[in-house]
């Protein structure tokens, strides 16, 4: 079972795929959206319709605007 949620900036979450993602910016202005980044590849994207599973893992319906960041923890291209 899942519930919609908005990730918190600065928190790292494990996706249902097993990969981890850092939330760079929470969707305070748009619920259930967040700017996420893979700490390993620096792939950065907006996750839309975020969901939280009972075991603490997350996923999202789709992502947009993906790019590889130049530095970890940033969203500059």
């Amino acid at each position: 079972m899942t519930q919609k949620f908005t990730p918190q900036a600065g928190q790292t979450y494990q996706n249902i795929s097993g990969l981890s993602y850092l939330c760079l910016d929470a969707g305070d202005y748009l619920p259930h959206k967040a700017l996420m980044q893979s700490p390993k590849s620096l792939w950065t994207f907006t996750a839309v319709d975020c969901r939280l599973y009972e075991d603490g893992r997350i996923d999202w319906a789709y992502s947009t605007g993906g790019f590889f960041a130049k530095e970890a923890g940033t969203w500059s291209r």
Side-chain angles (χ1 to χ4, degrees):
M1 183 167 201
T2 65
Q3 64 182 19
K4 290 186 177 189
F5 90 115
T6 302
Q8 299 296 309
Q11 293 289 108
T12 299
Y13 296 91
Q14 185 177 31
N15 184 270
I16 59 170
S17 69
L19 298 175
S20 294
Y21 293 92
L22 171 65
C23 177
L24 297 177
D25 189 24
D28 294 332
Y29 51 95
L30 293 169
H32 319 303
K33 289 178 87 170
L35 184 66
M36 305 292 282
Q37 184 177 78
S38 166
K40 289 187 178 185
S41 68
L42 302 185
W43 182 247
T44 306
F45 58 92
T46 299
V48 180
D49 193 19
C50 297
R51 297 177 298 240
L52 178 67
Y53 288 77
E54 291 177 355
D55 64 3
R57 295 179 302 155
I58 67 166
D59 74 357
W60 43 86
Y62 64 95
S63 63
T64 64
F67 64 94
F68 289 101
K70 291 181 181 180
E71 294 180 41
T74 68
W75 54 88
S76 61
R77 295 175 189 246

